[in-house]
Amino acid sequence: MIWTLSAPLLLPFFTAIIAFLTRRSVAGKWVSLSGAVLHLGAALVLVSAVLDQGVIAGSFGGWDAPFGIALAADYLGAAMVVITGIIGVAVALYSFADISKSTEALGFHALFHLLLAGVTGAFLTADLFNLYVWFEVMLISSFGLLVIGGSKQEIDGAVKYVTLNLISTVMFLTGVGLLYGMTGTLNMADLHFAVQEVENKGLLSVVAIMFMVAFGVKAAVFPLFFWLPASYHTPSFSVSAVFAGLLTKVGVYALIRAFTLIFTHDPELIETVLLWVAVLTMVTGVLGAAAQSDFRRILSFHIISQIGYMVLGLALMTPLGLIGAVFYLLHHIIVKANLFLISGVANRIAGGTELARIGGLYTHAPLLAVLFLIPAFSLAGFPPLSGFWAKFIVIRASLELEMWIVAGAALFVGLLTVFSMTKIWAEAFWTPHPDALAPKLSRLSTHDWRAMMWPIIALAVMTVIIGLFPGVFYPFVETAADQLLNPTAYLDAVLGPDAVAAAQSAVGQAVIVEGN
Amino acid sequence: METGLALLIGVLVAAAVYLMLARNVMSFLFGLLLISNAANLAIFTSGRLTEGAPPLVPEGADAPVGIVANALPQALVLTAIVIGFGLFAFSLMLVFRAYAGLGTLNGDEMRVAEPKEDKA
């Protein structure tokens, strides 16, 4: 059991070591690609085990939870690992064409796989301090990837990215320390019970808000998102695609985990704050995008506005709301990474990402135009693409709670998303190229065409499949949301049914004593 | 003892926030150093402070005798110090490269990656 859980975690580490040793040879990128494929394979094994047996958990070093460091995979965690694997393979292949030999020699592939390991670890761990460590693994490798090109732009973006992310790290660490001081445990399942016995609820809320700020910076929610549009357009396209797809979603995942499993003591406070945060994130993100004129900067601001929808689903805290949040999370990773990959192809054949300086892609590269339309319309929420269902569920959930303004804001933001996407469409695809260049896909060599276009085609096909057959995925997502709202299965798997029963009766008694 | 440390943590955080609000990126880094040490101290304090009472279990017993500090937060602090040191070394190097490449330490002037502003 522990090996099924830890295989997707350990494989990227091994790949990173081998990729580092072979970084100067041609073999390096093949090591990277095969490592990514193995990682995806291990993730698929994990998800089939989870589908088979429900939540699975295990702990290291022969110490049972809550003392040993526990790993656990419920439906959400396992699905996130699979998506990480998919993005890993897509970007590893794309980097064949996008990453130069000199960058490879600096250890690009090793850093890339360390990043995958950090992301996977964050999705699988059931221990709060361990989550901090995975965040650090992720952070330090993302720092490396961000500056690996060494250009002035990258350094400038990195200064902003690094400083704000380090503050979030300190916040997270302090929160972990204070929470441990109050409860004496770091195991998330154990914390579920331990926080209910804390007498000083006010202090608990303060710590909860510290976690919200720490994860909020990672997830890039309002008003903590400023590092994202300052840095995501600076590194190579492979790097920004994997950042855009995965990193902010780890923040959202951590928010979902923390506020469904640990901090359930004062739902009203958490939901009110998150609701405001969600609406403002959606609106500021999309308005920021409307003011931009660079392909990647527009996409960066749209990450922020889409994060708002996910947080909104969490803030509603109803079964349907969480279904929406999870569905949104899964669909958005694929769509967003794909859009960044497409911007990389546009950069290669049209010579830039500044919209005023490119054009003519529709006439000369119709295949790319179609492939752009799929994720772009999915992002905006056109039926029958995946984004439509994600938005539909979240908005439906807010209508069920009669939150008219919130639902209205969500619809309005969708409209503005269409505006931004048509801006890219009009300027990069429809208008002729200002330098009368013909940006044909044949400007790519056969090798580059294969490496760049196949990942884009594959991700676009996935978007269409999710959109056409949402019924296949819906039951899965429904179970995932159910496991979040009623974490009994998770608690049983991590702590064991006996310990859970004992803890439940202890909490029950404490409540009775308080009542007296 | 706890009161003294709590005050110290407060002073460290206040100084750190003051430094981090500066435009100079170098001051920001020093602020970061202070605040991460404040965080470490907070964890250390949350594990109880006991003077001269090592958390050792005497032979034949299942638990330490008397009140001892929890050893786990101290282990966490060690991990956090190591990680923090690595991150700080990286950020120091990054700021150095930024100074060498962009020719400024003023955060407001680092606008290479920003869109060009219209000159009004």
Side-chain angles (χ1 to χ4, degrees), chain B residues 35-59:
Chain B
I35 205 170
S36 59
N37 280 322
N40 288 340
L41 272 180
I43 301 175
F44 179 65
T45 319
S46 75
R48 260 202 308 268
L49 301 169
T50 49
E51 224 172 307
L56 299 176
V57 183
E59 228 176 300

Side-chain angles (χ1 to χ4, degrees), chain A residues 136 152 156 160 166 177 180 233, chain B residues 46 70 83 87 101 110 112-113:
Chain A
E136 296 305 302
K152 281 184 188 176
D156 185 2
K160 290 148 194 170
L166 286 180
Y180 184 79
H233 62 290
Chain B
S46 75
N70 190 332
I83 293 177
L87 290 178
M110 295 187 179
V112 181

Side-chain angles (χ1 to χ4, degrees), chain A residues 18 27 66 99 137 196 202 227 236 269 284 302 373 417 455 495:
Chain A
I18 303 173
I99 298 297
V137 171
Q196 299 177 34
W227 55 272
S236 64
L269 169 80
T284 46
H302 274 296
L373 277 187
T417 311
L495 295 174

Side-chain angles (χ1 to χ4, degrees), chain A residues 251-262:
Chain A
V252 178
Y253 169 85
L255 278 175
I256 293 180
R257 193 58 92 202
F259 293 105
T260 56
L261 188 61
I262 304 174

Side-chain angles (χ1 to χ4, degrees), chain A residues 17-31:
Chain A
I17 294 169
I18 303 173
F20 186 75
L21 294 174
T22 53
R23 66 189 184 280
R24 286 177 211 287
S25 77
V26 197
K29 51 187 175 189
W30 290 103
V31 169

Side-chain angles (χ1 to χ4, degrees), chain A residues 210-235:
Chain A
M210 285 181 87
F211 276 95
M212 196 189 282
V213 172
F215 295 150
V217 173
K218 303 275 172 200
V221 297
F222 177 87
L224 308 163
F225 61 75
F226 295 98
W227 55 272
L228 192 150
S231 61
Y232 269 26
H233 62 290
T234 58

Side-chain angles (χ1 to χ4, degrees), chain B residues 9-53:
Chain B
I9 294 167
V11 170
L12 279 177
V13 172
V17 170
Y18 176 77
L19 282 170
M20 288 199 290
L21 290 175
R23 284 195 184 82
N24 189 314
V25 187
M26 209 55 215
S27 307
F28 179 92
L29 274 194
F30 288 129
L32 199 67
L33 201 61
L34 286 187
I35 205 170
S36 59
N37 280 322
N40 288 340
L41 272 180
I43 301 175
F44 179 65
T45 319
S46 75
R48 260 202 308 268
L49 301 169
T50 49
E51 224 172 307

